Amino acid sequence: MIQIYPDYEQLSLAAAKCFVEESQKAIAKHGRFSVVLSGGHTPQHTYEILAQPPFKEEVSWQQTHVFWGDERCVPPEDSLSNIHMAKQALLNHIPIPASNIHPMQGNLNLQAAAQSYEKEIQQFFHGQKPQFDLIFLGLGDNGHTASLFPFLPALHETQKWVAAVYVAEQDMHRLTMTVSLLNQGRKIVFLVSGSEKASIFSRMLDGAYDPDALPAQLIRPVDGELLWLVDQDAATLCKTCREYPHATKSSL
Ligand code: 6PG
């Protein structure tokens, strides 16, 4: 499913509405809402919208648990940190219990941090299938998502749920949820905005299946839903968006 919005503002509003709706469904169904946040710039305005009325009051933050799909291995107060961005845009402005915030420890020993995050997820799901209610993902201009970058061995990890990776093109160590964990999600939502993403978005949807080069193509929910929320600038080259009815042009 692809939903195309006129601009970044409308896209961000749609993503915030999705967050509220999925939280209400999850809490009604099983008493809590587990969400995986994405890093980068695209989701930032969505988080800011959720931190303000009316959306702020529409989420039961006491029953909401926040995780991250990936983290850069920098101190948590570093401006490059995904938790830092989420705190600035959302978490510092809402009544969410500190115990409901589950950050990746990007500033520790990497392998230990990956293992401890996996253990935290196992405990959260009481050893059951790790089905996050909502997973937000972004799309990098080289086809990466979370910190699953092209040609990384971690793309083919089938046992671990969290991997430590080294991203040579950024000379950066990162932690990332693996494909097998992400694909357990009940609802996986990509947020893609801007003309600089038009080419990669078109390659993703119109081009051949080439997951080593385009890791975001590996995201295929096992029994959940995949939704692309994109703005018109990002969708401008996408032939799939023009040819199939499921690509709806929406405006709130
Ligand atoms: C990260 C993100 C990453 C991001 C894409 C898109 O930590 O960098 O998780 O996967 O979603 O790089 O980033 P932008 O939204 O900034 O374009």
Side-chain angles (χ1 to χ4, degrees), residues 10 20 24 33 59 80 91 99 121 145 153 159 205 220 250:
Q10 296 283 336
V20 168
Q24 291 170 347
F33 171 51
V59 178
L80 284 175
L91 301 176
S99 57
I121 295 168
T145 192
Q159 301 306 311
L205 274 79
R220 295 179 165 186
S250 307

Side-chain angles (χ1 to χ4, degrees), residues 37-43 69-72 80 82 137-142 144-149 170 174 191 193 196-197:
L37 298 184
S38 170
H41 300 295
T42 304
D70 71 328
E71 184 56 279
R72 295 87 178 270
L80 284 175
N82 289 336
L137 289 173
L139 178 66
D141 55 14
N142 63 352
H144 80 264
T145 192
S147 285
L148 298 165
F149 280 72
Q170 296 182 355
R174 289 170 168 237
L191 305 182
S193 169
E196 69 279 5
K197 297 291 175 71

Side-chain angles (χ1 to χ4, degrees), residues 114-248:
Q115 287 161 7
S116 71
Y117 204 62
E118 179 159 336
K119 190 171 171 52
E120 185 167 356
I121 295 168
Q122 282 169 352
Q123 287 168 346
F124 181 78
F125 287 104
H126 310 302
Q128 303 301 308
K129 193 159 60 162
Q131 272 191 321
F132 289 101
D133 295 306
L134 175 62
I135 299 177
F136 276 146
L137 289 173
L139 178 66
D141 55 14
N142 63 352
H144 80 264
T145 192
S147 285
L148 298 165
F149 280 72
F151 308 106
L152 283 183
L155 299 185
H156 304 288
E157 174 58 59
T158 56
Q159 301 306 311
K160 292 178 187 165
W161 290 354
V162 183
V165 297
Y166 174 67
V167 181
E169 58 262 50
Q170 296 182 355
D171 186 22
M172 186 186 281
H173 292 276
R174 289 170 168 237
L175 292 169
T176 187
M177 286 186 178
T178 58
V179 172
S180 51
L181 176 58
L182 290 167
N183 281 345
Q184 296 294 329
R186 284 195 169 87
K187 184 156 189 170
I188 303 175
V189 179
F190 276 95
L191 305 182
V192 189
S193 169
S195 54
E196 69 279 5
K197 297 291 175 71
S199 171
I200 192 63
F201 181 62
S202 171
R203 274 185 69 197
M204 276 294 304
L205 274 79
D206 304 333
Y209 183 64
D210 185 5
D212 275 305
L214 301 171
Q217 288 182 331
L218 289 165
I219 303 303
R220 295 179 165 186
V222 173
D223 56 12
E225 180 192 349
L226 178 62
L227 173 62
W228 289 89
L229 298 183
V230 300
D231 64 16
Q232 186 51 53
D233 285 345
T236 188
L237 301 176
C238 174
K239 297 183 183 66
T240 304
C241 297
R242 289 195 286 272
E243 288 162 6
Y244 294 98
H246 65 279
T248 56

Side-chain angles (χ1 to χ4, degrees), residues 3 5-21 42-55 58 136 189 191 229-231 250-252:
Q3 292 178 358
Y5 291 88
D7 54 32
Y8 179 57
E9 177 68 28
Q10 296 283 336
L11 167 64
S12 303
L13 275 167
K17 273 170 65 83
C18 174
F19 186 107
V20 168
E21 287 164 5
T42 304
Q44 195 163 334
H45 190 43
T46 298
Y47 302 163
E48 290 164 350
I49 291 170
L50 287 166
Q52 304 296 325
F55 292 87
E58 292 174 10
F136 276 146
V189 179
L191 305 182
L229 298 183
V230 300
D231 64 16
S250 307
S251 64
L252 289 168

